[in-house]
Amino acid sequence: MDVRQIWRKESRKRIKNQLRCERVNRNWPLHAQRVVDVFREIQAEGDKHGVVMFVQEPEWFQPTYDGLGRRYGKYPLGETSVILCFMRQRTGTGVFERTEEGDTHTFDYEEGAQLVVHHSPDQGVVQVFFSPPRLSKDNKEEALLYTHTFNSDDLTRDWVMRLVPCFFTFNRVESLLERPSVIDRLRVRWWRFIDIRNRRGYLEKLQHVLTPWELILIAGTTAPLLWLLSWLWKLLNPINL
């Protein structure tokens, strides 16, 4: 194989990926609208059950505040997201302060969890993040990268619908105001463990399926069981000397 053959093969792969990115980026607005429509259905049904949610469309990220239609700050260029959020809720805790000027009450609020469908045009990828709820005074925790796709055709109505129950499970586990089941906790642990960023070591803290205490407990219960199985094997299969 000579140099020209090497570069022809490499060029074909580069062109193929470039065409894929262009197709994903071109089709993203159409699929983003489909995501918005599904999220608004979920929002409307949630209102019937007394759960307040709201949907943030990509245009929501460009509000205007001054007379010139500008807002100062840093904004992502090209990247857009469609977000389904739980409304912030009062936790029931806070601080009561009494001074000479009078009494003041400061209540804690939990910022709702977010389901983020994010599009990155440089890679031509659509990523789905579950952002955990947080207290207003706390820094935002690391979001879970639940899934991703390099093909915009995957963003069907059914695909988006399947994200919602998993997001609700994530919210039950991470929220201070919900009560998750054991299965819910195990599912979220597994999602964090298989997060591609965790597998590649990109996260600051490695996510494990089992805690050290659980590993010790399993080891402590497994050793006697293995000894019992070994004893039964020897009992049922005596060695004739």
Side-chain angles (χ1 to χ4, degrees):
M1 181 179 294
D2 59 19
V3 175
R4 288 177 297 180
Q5 290 177 324
I6 294 175
W7 272 111
R8 279 199 298 267
K9 186 176 181 180
E10 176 66 17
S11 296
R12 286 195 297 268
K13 293 181 178 180
R14 287 173 175 266
I15 293 173
K16 181 179 179 181
N17 183 63
Q18 180 181 354
L19 293 175
R20 181 199 59 80
C21 288
E22 291 176 356
R23 182 175 183 274
V24 170
N25 298 340
R26 183 171 58 251
N27 293 338
W28 164 246
L30 174 64
H31 294 292
Q33 185 58 52
R34 179 177 297 144
V35 176
V36 170
D37 294 340
V38 173
F39 282 0
R40 292 209 179 278
E41 288 185 39
I42 299 299
Q43 177 190 28
E45 190 65 25
D47 292 339
K48 300 176 183 179
H49 295 270
V51 180
V52 181
M53 307 184 74
F54 59 96
V55 179
Q56 298 178 3
E57 302 181 33
E59 291 77 12
W60 184 89
F61 291 98
Q62 302 297 331
T64 56
Y65 291 125
D66 61 11
L68 300 178
R70 298 175 303 178
R71 186 179 70 166
Y72 296 109
K74 295 181 179 180
Y75 307 98
L77 296 176
E79 299 181 1
T80 54
S81 300
V82 181
I83 305 176
L84 177 66
C85 312
F86 282 99
M87 184 67 72
R88 70 196 301 255
Q89 301 181 69
R90 183 182 293 185
T91 62
T93 60
V95 176
F96 170 76
E97 183 179 6
R98 174 166 291 168
T99 62
E100 294 180 355
E101 288 76 16
D103 300 341
T104 58
H105 299 78
T106 303
F107 295 100
D108 292 333
Y109 286 86
E110 182 183 83
E111 303 290 342
Q114 298 182 350
L115 167 54
V116 182
V117 181
H118 177 78
H119 169 242
S120 298
D122 52 346
Q123 296 178 319
V125 61
V126 177
Q127 299 168 301
V128 178
F129 293 94
F130 293 165
S131 181
R134 64 182 178 89
L135 295 178
S136 301
K137 60 184 178 182
D138 294 340
N139 293 327
K140 200 166 187 177
E141 298 183 12
E142 187 75 33
L144 165 69
L145 176 54
Y146 179 72
T147 188
H148 68 281
T149 179
F150 292 96
N151 185 0
S152 57
D153 291 340
D154 291 336
L155 274 69
T156 62
R157 173 181 170 82
D158 291 339
W159 186 86
V160 179
M161 280 291 189
R162 288 196 297 270
L163 298 175
V164 177
C166 298
F167 171 59
F168 287 172
T169 298
F170 178 83
N171 179 70
R172 281 197 302 273
V173 172
E174 299 293 339
S175 175
L176 296 174
L177 308 177
E178 301 291 339
R179 184 180 180 183
S181 66
V182 175
I183 299 299
D184 290 340
R185 294 184 183 277
L186 291 177
R187 291 181 69 190
V188 173
R189 280 195 198 180
W190 177 251
W191 294 339
R192 288 196 178 279
F193 179 70
I194 64 174
D195 186 331
I196 189 172
R197 300 169 303 170
N198 187 55
R199 286 180 282 156
R200 295 184 177 180
Y202 295 161
L203 301 179
E204 295 183 1
K205 183 178 179 181
L206 181 65
Q207 302 293 326
H208 301 277
V209 176
L210 300 175
T211 65
W213 183 87
E214 290 169 337
L215 291 173
I216 293 174
L217 180 63
I218 292 174
T221 56
T222 302
L225 179 60
L226 292 176
W227 178 87
L228 179 60
L229 292 175
S230 177
W231 180 79
L232 289 175
W233 177 261
K234 293 179 180 179
L235 181 64
L236 298 174
N237 299 278
I239 300 176
N240 296 323
L241 300 177

